[in-house]
Amino acid sequence: MSDPRKPGRNAWAELTSSWIPDEDLRRLAAYRLMAAYDSNQVGQVAAIAGDGDAAVERRELGDASKLVDTALGYLLGAEQTIIVPGAEGAAETPTPESVEALAVQQALRDWAEKELLLFRIQQAERTALLLGDGVYTLAWDPAKRRVLLRSWDPGLYFPEWPEDEQDGAEFPLRVHLAWELPEDEQRGLKARLRRVTYELGPIAPSSRTAPPGKDGRSVRETVYSSDGASLLTPGDTLNAATGAITRAYPWAPDTPSAWTCYLTDAEWNLDDLKRGDLLYDLPQHKATYRVRSDGEVLDRLDIMVDFIPVVHITNNIPHSGDHWGKPILATVLQGLDELSATDTDSSGASATTGTPIIGLAGARLPIDRTTGQPLPLKIQPGTVWQLNDSGRMDVLDTSAQLAELRARVDHLLDRIAANSRLTAAGLGTLDPTALPSGYALQLALGPLDSLVAAMRLARAHKYAVLLRMVQRLHQAGQAEGWPVGESLPARLMWGPHTPTDRAAVLDEVVKGVSAGVLSVETGVRMLIDAGYPITDAQEEIHRIQSRAFDAAARLADATGDNAAVRDYLRLPEADSGVPPVPLLPNREAAGEGAPRRGPE
């Protein structure tokens, strides 16, 4: 059913366009099939594939969508927070490093709020859970003076890795985002293929937008000086010995790089593409390049960074040599099919149970006076049939079969919950009275804990890379508030995915901080992870310290420094209470001689 090259009736006929390579067809067909499960349309897909009219009657009651949404909730947790290691130390012992970390953390959080980061994460992560993959792109917006974040359908994502690349954790050197644009008769536009390409390559001489040619197409051309030599972009350096051009980026000012990223955004008319014109090698002489809002033609435009601002998220840790993730539904697709078939049978059994089949023997049937034929019988309240002495009425009872089918539904749901590792407790189908204690509930949630841990591990590095790219794009755009130098490591922290014993955590923090085995910063972080409504860890630490008079008294006894105590309590410098003494001018220094002495 999911084979895009299947002869005859094909549910994915539109995927077999000439520009899609064969190695990507299977992946795109799998995405379409997962989307059909999510939208309760597998029956329609099966009917198109030739499984008969019975496929249209397939009952799909949203179980696949529920699995995806439930897994999404556990993956994201209660909240998501950007953390820069070292930023929390700025409240206790401010150092240049901790102050810089705090500034970068606040800048990232401000950017995340403006760019709706949590909303984008919801979009991309649900796609990653459903399809196995998710894609983010980053771009510098000169008008808004910040980085723009967008999430993409992975079906539009076509990376190119080197032929000898075997590690799935590495990044591609060339990435395409491609999709078809429908025909627009009102604007006189034919059906087109649009392809956005990011490519890493050696730094080239400066280029500019060339005047349109005879065909009206705009391209970029190299800029030359009056003596015919190619000009360099300001800040680039030419190595006369090797001929390579290097550039010092703001995040590595002491390490010049010979690489940069080129952006190309072009369109092709589908009528101009032949059977052999695949996505990765489209004819450049037939391309029409798009123009940016500032007039720059997007034909290998140097975007002044040495990385591709595209982040690919996988739902799980890929196998060695693989680059793609596995959907959360992949291991239970057969179970979902069995559940749908059982629901279909239950629907038929419930119809015969609610409106049973009745057999009459020896009944006097009403006659149609016009035709003389017996009228069809109707089962409704108050109906009376006259039976002969030997007459009888038999009712087909299917309630027993309906009960068996309902029991089978419960069995299949338990099987799906176990095999998907979401567990019956995680899906909310487990009877709470069946668990004798909270420890038993913790054991029941064990597979869910390992599933969430594995999914978060697969994403930890990618979100760290995304936040590093955000810093570097702001540095390249010379945005205010972003320091020059190596980008600081930042992480996306997930909230707790299961309910926690907040009282136990609070008691543990109080005992640990009081005994001196836990710092205040660590204690506040534990309270945040437990779900306490603390929005800013630094501000919370300031409030705690401003009221910690016993700790301030101990600090005064240990140091005898009242200034340190006032700084600990966040109080202004104390006034000594001694009025200033006016000093008389030094008359000797002024040249007036020694003052006269009075009579003795």
Side-chain angles (χ1 to χ4, degrees):
M1 186 172 64
S2 62
D3 186 2
R5 295 296 188 185
K6 181 180 179 181
R9 301 177 67 186
N10 193 332
W12 322 117
E14 70 276 10
L15 291 180
T16 57
S17 301
S18 61
W19 59 272
I20 299 180
D22 288 340
E23 58 267 24
D24 292 302
L25 277 178
R26 188 74 176 180
R27 174 172 64 93
L28 300 185
Y31 290 162
R32 292 290 186 90
L33 189 59
M34 292 297 103
Y37 273 94
D38 183 52
S39 56
N40 299 332
Q41 293 180 329
V42 180
Q44 287 83 344
V45 173
I48 295 175
D51 287 355
D53 297 335
V56 181
E57 301 299 327
R58 175 188 173 108
R59 292 294 185 267
E60 299 174 76
L61 306 182
D63 296 287
S65 181
K66 178 188 176 182
L67 289 176
V68 175
D69 292 335
T70 303
L72 177 64
Y74 287 123
L75 169 65
L76 299 181
E79 61 181 356
Q80 303 84 48
T81 308
I82 297 176
I83 297 296
V84 176
E88 295 179 356
E92 182 72 19
T93 54
T95 62
E97 293 78 11
S98 63
V99 172
E100 181 182 2
L102 180 60
V104 172
Q105 176 178 278
Q106 188 60 44
L108 285 172
R109 291 180 177 180
D110 293 341
W111 167 82
E113 183 176 357
K114 294 177 181 178
E115 274 302 300
L116 305 176
L117 176 64
L118 301 185
F119 174 77
R120 304 295 181 188
I121 290 176
Q122 289 270 354
Q123 284 183 326
E125 289 298 348
R126 194 185 191 283
T127 303
L129 285 165
L130 175 63
L131 307 182
D133 306 286
V135 178
Y136 292 107
T137 60
L138 299 165
W140 172 253
D141 189 339
K144 296 183 178 180
R145 302 295 299 170
R146 71 170 185 265
V147 175
L148 300 183
L149 175 67
R150 296 291 182 267
S151 60
W152 292 76
D153 186 334
L156 312 178
Y157 174 69
F158 299 90
E160 287 190 63
W161 282 278
E163 295 182 357
D164 57 347
E165 180 56 57
Q166 296 297 327
D167 189 0
E170 291 297 329
F171 294 91
L173 297 179
R174 196 181 185 195
V175 168
H176 305 284
L177 298 171
W179 64 96
E180 290 187 8
L181 299 174
E183 181 180 2
D184 191 343
E185 297 181 357
Q186 295 182 353
R187 299 171 55 190
L189 298 177
K190 299 181 179 180
R192 293 148 291 152
L193 167 65
R194 183 178 177 183
R195 189 186 73 178
V196 180
T197 301
Y198 297 89
E199 181 179 6
L200 286 178
I203 299 176
S206 178
S207 63
R208 64 185 177 187
T209 301
K214 296 181 180 180
D215 55 358
R217 297 168 60 248
S218 298
V219 295
R220 301 190 67 82
E221 63 180 5
T222 304
V223 180
Y224 295 95
S225 61
S226 57
D227 57 357
S230 57
L231 297 179
L232 301 181
T233 302
D236 292 353
T237 303
L238 176 63
N239 189 328
T242 62
I245 301 175
T246 59
R247 177 182 300 161
Y249 291 101
W251 48 89
D254 300 330
T255 308
S257 174
W259 293 85
T260 189
C261 182
Y262 296 98
L263 171 63
T264 302
D265 190 350
E267 294 180 0
W268 286 263
N269 288 332
L270 293 180
D271 296 339
D272 295 337
L273 299 181
K274 299 179 181 179
R275 189 64 183 175
D277 295 334
L278 299 179
L279 169 70
Y280 300 120
D281 52 2
L282 294 173
Q284 297 299 319
H285 65 280
K286 296 181 180 180
T288 301
Y289 298 100
R290 291 206 166 202
V291 181
R292 206 168 59 180
S293 58
D294 58 357
E296 292 287 353
V297 175
L298 300 180
D299 173 21
R300 285 184 60 83
L301 175 67
D302 189 349
I303 59 177
M304 306 296 290
V305 294
D306 59 349
F307 57 88
I308 294 178
V310 179
V311 179
H312 172 220
I313 302 292
T314 56
N315 182 49
N316 65 316
I317 300 176
H319 299 293
S320 178
D322 196 3
H323 302 283
W324 306 104
K326 183 174 70 173
I328 194 70
L329 303 178
T331 55
V332 294
L333 284 179
Q334 184 64 48
L336 291 173
D337 288 341
E338 293 285 341
L339 183 60
S340 178
T342 305
D343 287 335
T344 303
D345 295 340
S346 298
S347 177
S350 63
T352 57
T353 301
T355 307
I357 300 175
I358 298 177
L360 293 177
R364 298 178 181 178
L365 302 179
I367 303 298
D368 188 347
R369 297 180 180 181
T370 304
T371 61
Q373 298 295 327
L375 293 174
L377 297 180
K378 295 182 179 181
I379 302 176
Q380 57 187 6
T383 302
V384 177
W385 290 304
Q386 295 182 357
L387 303 179
N388 298 329
D389 295 339
S390 60
R392 71 178 189 277
M393 181 180 68
D394 298 324
V395 180
L396 179 62
D397 184 10
T398 60
S399 58
Q401 290 82 356
L402 181 59
E404 289 292 333
L405 290 172
R406 288 178 176 176
R408 177 172 170 77
V409 168
D410 296 336
H411 166 71
L412 289 173
L413 287 175
D414 292 339
R415 192 74 173 268
I416 291 173
N419 292 345
S420 65
R421 293 198 294 169
L422 291 175
T423 70
L427 290 176
T429 59
L430 181 65
D431 185 6
T433 60
L435 297 173
S437 63
Y439 183 70
L441 176 60
Q442 185 177 359
L443 291 177
L445 291 174
L448 176 62
D449 296 339
S450 63
L451 172 65
V452 172
M455 292 193 298
R456 291 182 176 181
L457 178 61
R459 292 159 169 80
H461 175 61
K462 297 299 182 70
Y463 279 106
V465 171
L466 186 146
L467 295 175
R468 187 186 308 131
M469 289 182 179
V470 171
Q471 296 182 60
R472 293 186 175 183
L473 286 172
H474 279 100
Q475 291 175 340
Q478 299 180 355
E480 296 181 1
W482 299 85
V484 178
E486 178 59 33
S487 304
L488 297 182
R491 302 194 306 269
L492 184 68
M493 300 297 294
W494 312 90
H497 63 282
T498 54
T500 57
D501 190 349
R502 295 171 59 177
V505 174
L506 178 60
D507 183 66
E508 181 181 358
V509 170
V510 171
K511 292 181 179 179
V513 174
S514 301
V517 297
L518 287 179
S519 65
V520 178
E521 293 81 359
T522 302
V524 171
R525 173 53 51 196
M526 292 173 62
L527 294 179
I528 294 176
D529 294 340
Y532 279 86
I534 300 175
T535 56
D536 192 313
Q538 285 76 29
E539 184 62 27
E540 190 69 18
I541 294 172
H542 287 241
R543 294 171 182 171
I544 294 173
Q545 291 181 349
S546 64
R547 299 171 176 85
F549 300 112
D550 292 339
R554 292 194 299 270
L555 178 63
D557 295 338
T559 62
D561 188 351
N562 289 332
V565 174
R566 298 188 69 87
D567 181 68
Y568 179 83
L569 294 175
R570 303 294 184 234
L571 297 176
E573 295 183 2
D575 187 0
S576 63
V578 179
V581 178
L583 300 177
L584 296 176
N586 191 340
R587 301 176 64 183
E588 293 181 355
E592 299 180 4
R596 293 182 180 181
R597 300 179 62 185
E600 297 181 356

